[in-house]
């Protein structure tokens, strides 16, 4: 296959995802989930001003998009293009349209119809208490991987790109002011957005001119360790604040800024039209590269389908949904936003090089790809297309990556607190938000620094993320399928993707178990076995629940739409 122009990939990919949003999401909303604008959402029913807060759908989209995106839709594609650009491109585009959007919208709908409960709690209602307990184990381990690994990724970026320090931390001040402007002073959202975005980009320019570095050693910690400690302190504080104070406005304004960043990258691609130098199918793989099947489907998780999305959707997003019909925009279009980021990462990591030899030099091993390659390749495209200096281009993309990762990290800590509290309820031990947050941060911090003061332990169990994440996505779709079967709704749009993702994730888990056994990595071997057994058990319980629905009377369509639950205001 001749080397394509990157513009062709961009146009086809964007067109597919937008078609999915305007056509397929409408089918899901009307025929499968039957979203109802009159349904009284949990944010209204349980409005407490802390976690349950009715939120403008554009603001909530910003929260969901930036929380689920993180660095994963950059890292996954940046690694997976080692098999060639075509498999990564197909999995991202098809996965976004038919799986990720359906999964995110479905998780939001499922939580709405169950008082904003998390996916772990939902598993208790629909597949039984044993399934719930095992589900919570999988969820907690997944969140632990995300929080620890993203702390390491962010610290590495802040050390490698010191120009991103000022905009990264300055964004918090902007977010706090945006929150006050929107909720306390009721200022115009469009005006607040414009001022906030201008302030963020001014911080990027300022950061590029005044890079910030930490001392080589402080209290026995190198710069990476110092940043990790600061990040955990920030995440703990952020997870305790009411969502409208920091989480919502930070995610919203970051989401707008990050979408503008994607616009810059795609705009530069439109002007520069760089050639994709990477092969469509790479037949010259390095020796350490694993088989493309099933590893492609777990290497690229976020950006095609991700179980972490269901955790966010049912953990924080569902508690802020103003109207049930907003689930289409927040959930499905949130997945489209992440798909666009993954597509941008594919373009940056395959067309951001001058020659195929240069590309092969970078991709000399399976683990060579990642955020730095995205920043380098994307920076070259932005410089070529828009004439923005290479240093500033790199700062823009590095800041985008850091802000994505940071929003995911502190949302992850908040979600870990929820899980800890749910486990406490099962054990009949009351755990308040402060104790739950302390447990989450202490466990994550202990793992992160378990291998030394540089925080390298944060990546210790990250190799399990791909399979765990996709297994969780399949299990989430299993719960959605049970709900649809109980309501006698169309279920094949959920069941078919569930089976595919489940087969790939179980296959990948078995491959990894074999690899860990051969390498005598007993920690990862043991954890992977635990996750596989727990996931399989939940799967069996889900299948039993699906079969049982055949003997049950269908649930009424208006079961949750009693008169006192309908909205009385516009």
């Amino acid at each position: 296959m001749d080397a394509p122009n990157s513009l062709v990939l961009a146009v086809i990919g964007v067109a597919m995802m937008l078609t999915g949003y305007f056509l397929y999401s409408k089918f899901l909303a009307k025929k499968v989930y039957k979203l109802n604008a009159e349904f009284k959402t949990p944010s209204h029913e349980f409005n407490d001003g802390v976690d349950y807060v009715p939120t403008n759908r554009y603001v909530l989209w910003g929260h969901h998009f930036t929380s689920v995106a993180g660095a994963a839709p950059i890292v996954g594609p940046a690694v997976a293009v080692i098999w060639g650009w075509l498999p990564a491109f197909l999995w991202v585009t098809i996965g976004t349209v038919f799986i990720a959007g359906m999964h995110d919208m479905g998780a939001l709908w499922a939580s709405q119809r169950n008082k904003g409960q998390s996916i772990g709690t939902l598993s208790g209602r629909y597949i039984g208490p044993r399934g719930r307990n095992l589900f919570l184990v999988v969820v907690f381990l997944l969140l632990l991987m995300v929080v620890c690994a993203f702390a390491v990724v962010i610290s590495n970026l802040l050390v490698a790109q010191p120009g991103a320090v000022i905009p990264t931390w300055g964004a918090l001040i902007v977010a706090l002011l945006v929150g006050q402007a929107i909720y306390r002073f009721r200022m115009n959202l469009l005006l607040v957005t414009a001022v906030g975005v201008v302030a963020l980009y001014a911080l990027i320019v300022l950061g590029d001119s005044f890079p910030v570095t930490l001392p080589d050693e402080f209290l026995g910690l190198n710069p990476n360790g110092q940043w990790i400690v600061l990040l955990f302190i920030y995440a703990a504080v952020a997870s305790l604040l009411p969502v409208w104070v920091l989480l919502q406005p930070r995610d919203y304004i970051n989401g707008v800024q990050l979408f503008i960043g994607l616009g810059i990258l795609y705009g530069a691609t439109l002007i520069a039209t760089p050639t994709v130098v990477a092969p469509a199918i790479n037949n010259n793989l390095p020796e350490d590269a694993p088989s493309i099947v099933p590893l492609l489907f777990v290497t690229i998780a976020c950006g095609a389908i991700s179980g972490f999305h269901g955790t966010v959707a049912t953990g924080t997003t569902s508690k802020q949904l103003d109207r049930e019909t907003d689930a289409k925009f927040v959930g499905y279009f949130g997945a489209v936003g992440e798909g666009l980021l993954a597509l941008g990462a594919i373009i940056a990591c395959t067309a951001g090089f001058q020659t195929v030899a240069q590309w092969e030099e970078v991709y000399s091993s399976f683990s060579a790809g990642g955020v730095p390659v995205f920043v380098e390749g994307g920076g070259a495209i932005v410089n070529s297309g828009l004439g923005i200096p290479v240093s500033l281009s790199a700062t823009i993309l590095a800041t985008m990556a850091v802000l994505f990762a940071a929003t995911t990290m502190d949302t992850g800590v908040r979600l870990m607190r929820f899980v800890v509290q749910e486990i406490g309820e099962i054990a009949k031990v009351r755990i308040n938000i402060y104790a739950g947050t302390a447990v989450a941060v202490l466990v994550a911090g202990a793992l992160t620094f378990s291998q030394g003061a540089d925080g390298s332990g944060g990546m210790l169990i990250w190799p399990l993320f791909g399979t765990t994440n996709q297994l969780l996505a399949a299990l989430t779709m299993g719960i959605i399928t049970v709900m649809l079967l109980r309501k006698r709704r169309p279920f094949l749009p959920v069941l078919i993707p569930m089976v595919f993702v489940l087969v790939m994730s179980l296959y990948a888990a078995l491959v990894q178990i074999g690899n860990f056994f051969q390498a005598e990595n007993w920690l990862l071997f043991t954890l992977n076995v635990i996750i596989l057994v727990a996931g399989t058990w939940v799967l069996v319980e889900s299948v039993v629940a699906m079969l049982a629905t055949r003997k049950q009377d269908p649930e009424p369509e208006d079961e949750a739409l009693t008169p006192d639950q309908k909205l009385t205001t516009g």
Side-chain angles (χ1 to χ4, degrees):
M1 182 180 291
D2 295 333
N5 190 295
S6 58
L7 182 59
V8 174
L9 298 188
V11 170
I12 294 175
V14 172
M16 287 178 65
M17 294 182 200
L18 292 182
T19 300
Y21 175 69
F22 288 114
L23 295 180
Y24 191 58
S25 73
K26 185 178 293 186
F27 162 75
L28 293 172
K30 289 186 175 182
K31 302 297 184 181
V32 178
Y33 302 130
K34 296 186 179 180
L35 304 181
N36 191 321
E38 291 189 331
F39 178 74
K40 186 173 184 179
T41 60
S43 69
H44 288 278
E45 186 175 358
F46 306 109
N47 188 348
D48 60 6
V50 179
D51 294 318
Y52 291 85
V53 178
T55 304
N56 177 286
R57 68 174 186 159
Y58 298 104
V59 176
L60 186 56
W61 172 86
H63 158 68
H64 185 75
F65 168 51
T66 55
S67 292
V68 300
I74 296 174
V75 174
V79 172
V81 293
I82 198 167
W83 288 300
W85 63 263
L86 184 58
F89 175 79
L90 291 175
W91 176 226
V92 163
T93 51
I94 296 173
T96 295
V97 172
F98 293 105
I99 310 181
M102 170 274 295
H103 170 275
D104 288 22
M105 194 200 306
L108 266 176
W109 165 76
S111 183
Q112 289 303 292
R113 292 293 166 148
N114 289 276
K115 302 182 181 299
Q117 293 177 334
S118 73
I119 194 64
T121 303
L122 289 180
S123 63
R125 173 176 179 181
Y126 290 100
I127 62 178
R130 286 191 304 270
R132 175 197 59 196
N133 297 343
L134 294 169
F135 207 106
L136 287 174
V137 170
V138 176
V139 171
F140 185 83
L141 287 174
L142 180 74
L143 292 172
L144 183 62
M145 296 173 203
V146 169
V147 170
C148 295
F150 280 23
V152 175
V153 169
I154 297 168
S155 67
N156 288 342
L157 278 170
L158 292 177
V159 171
Q161 296 288 339
V165 172
I166 288 179
T168 295
W169 294 100
L172 300 180
I173 299 174
V174 174
L176 288 170
L177 294 176
V178 167
Q180 295 296 316
I182 293 175
Y183 286 99
R184 190 175 296 277
F185 298 107
R186 306 292 179 180
M187 297 177 65
N188 180 272
L189 180 61
L190 185 60
L191 174 63
V192 172
T193 302
V195 174
V197 169
V198 169
L200 282 179
Y201 275 93
L203 288 171
I204 291 175
V205 175
L206 182 66
D208 184 59
S209 301
F210 299 97
V212 176
T213 58
L214 295 181
D216 293 337
E217 184 177 345
F218 181 73
L219 298 178
L221 299 174
N222 65 9
N224 294 78
Q226 295 169 45
W227 281 127
I228 289 172
V229 170
L230 291 174
L231 286 166
F232 274 125
I233 293 173
Y234 153 70
V237 174
S239 71
L240 292 170
L241 292 174
V243 291
W244 68 269
V245 174
L246 180 60
L247 181 140
Q248 277 185 7
R250 177 212 60 201
D251 289 358
Y252 169 66
I253 203 68
N254 282 349
V256 174
Q257 186 268 140
L258 296 169
F259 228 65
I260 292 174
L262 281 177
I264 291 173
L265 178 58
Y266 279 105
T269 301
L270 175 65
I271 296 172
T273 62
T275 299
V276 175
V277 299
I281 304 291
N282 188 9
N283 296 316
N284 188 29
L285 290 168
E287 292 183 0
D288 65 341
S291 171
I292 187 172
V293 178
L295 271 300
L296 169 69
F297 303 102
V298 296
T299 300
I300 299 181
C302 300
I305 171 64
S306 167
F308 181 69
H309 289 208
T311 306
V312 174
T314 62
T316 57
T317 308
S318 67
K319 296 175 177 61
Q320 304 169 63
L321 204 67
D322 184 32
R323 290 180 179 270
E324 188 177 69
T325 47
D326 291 346
K328 174 174 170 285
F329 179 76
V330 175
Y332 196 101
F333 196 66
V336 167
E338 187 179 64
L340 292 174
L341 176 59
L343 178 60
I346 292 172
I347 292 172
C349 296
T350 58
F353 299 87
Q354 296 298 316
T355 64
V356 65
Q358 187 184 43
W359 181 84
E360 288 179 341
E361 183 179 352
V362 171
Y363 282 89
S364 58
S365 67
F366 180 68
S367 58
V371 175
V373 180
F374 165 76
V375 171
E376 178 185 350
I381 293 175
V382 171
N383 172 254
S384 175
L386 301 178
I388 299 176
V390 174
S391 173
L392 181 57
S393 298
T395 298
I396 291 174
L397 294 179
T399 301
M400 186 169 72
V402 169
L403 291 178
F404 265 128
T407 54
T408 301
M409 179 188 170
D410 58 33
T411 297
V413 171
R414 186 181 288 260
L415 292 172
M416 283 183 73
R417 185 246 293 177
F418 290 157
V419 173
V420 170
Q421 290 179 295
E422 286 183 48
I423 293 173
E425 290 176 5
I426 294 172
K428 297 184 174 12
V429 176
R430 188 178 182 278
I431 301 177
N432 61 30
I433 62 174
Y434 301 103
T437 300
V439 170
V441 172
L442 289 175
V443 171
L447 177 61
T448 304
F449 288 105
S450 64
Q451 300 298 299
D454 61 350
S456 57
M459 304 302 294
L460 194 62
I461 62 175
W462 180 251
L464 301 175
F465 174 78
T467 52
T468 306
N469 190 41
Q470 301 303 68
L471 183 60
L472 182 59
L475 298 177
T476 299
M477 287 187 280
I479 292 173
I480 296 172
T481 301
V482 173
M483 290 184 63
L484 293 173
L485 284 168
R486 285 191 177 187
K487 295 177 180 295
R488 302 301 190 266
R489 303 258 188 95
F491 61 89
L492 290 181
V494 182
L495 181 63
I496 293 173
M498 183 205 82
V499 172
F500 175 79
V501 174
L502 180 65
V503 169
M504 290 298 114
S505 57
L506 290 178
Y507 184 7
L510 291 172
V511 170
Q512 281 192 323
I513 286 175
N515 292 338
F516 295 146
F517 181 81
Q518 290 180 349
E520 298 184 353
N521 189 330
W522 305 121
L523 173 64
L524 295 185
F525 174 83
T526 303
L527 287 176
N528 211 354
V529 169
I530 292 173
I531 292 168
L532 182 61
V533 170
T536 303
W537 197 327
V538 175
L539 169 65
V540 171
E541 300 263 7
S542 299
V543 172
V544 171
M546 291 179 195
L547 296 175
T549 59
R550 299 170 60 183
K551 301 177 181 179
Q552 299 172 348
D553 294 330
E555 291 182 351
E557 289 295 337
D558 59 346
E559 61 175 336
L561 293 173
T562 53
D564 63 319
Q565 287 183 306
K566 291 185 178 181
L567 291 175
T568 56
T569 59

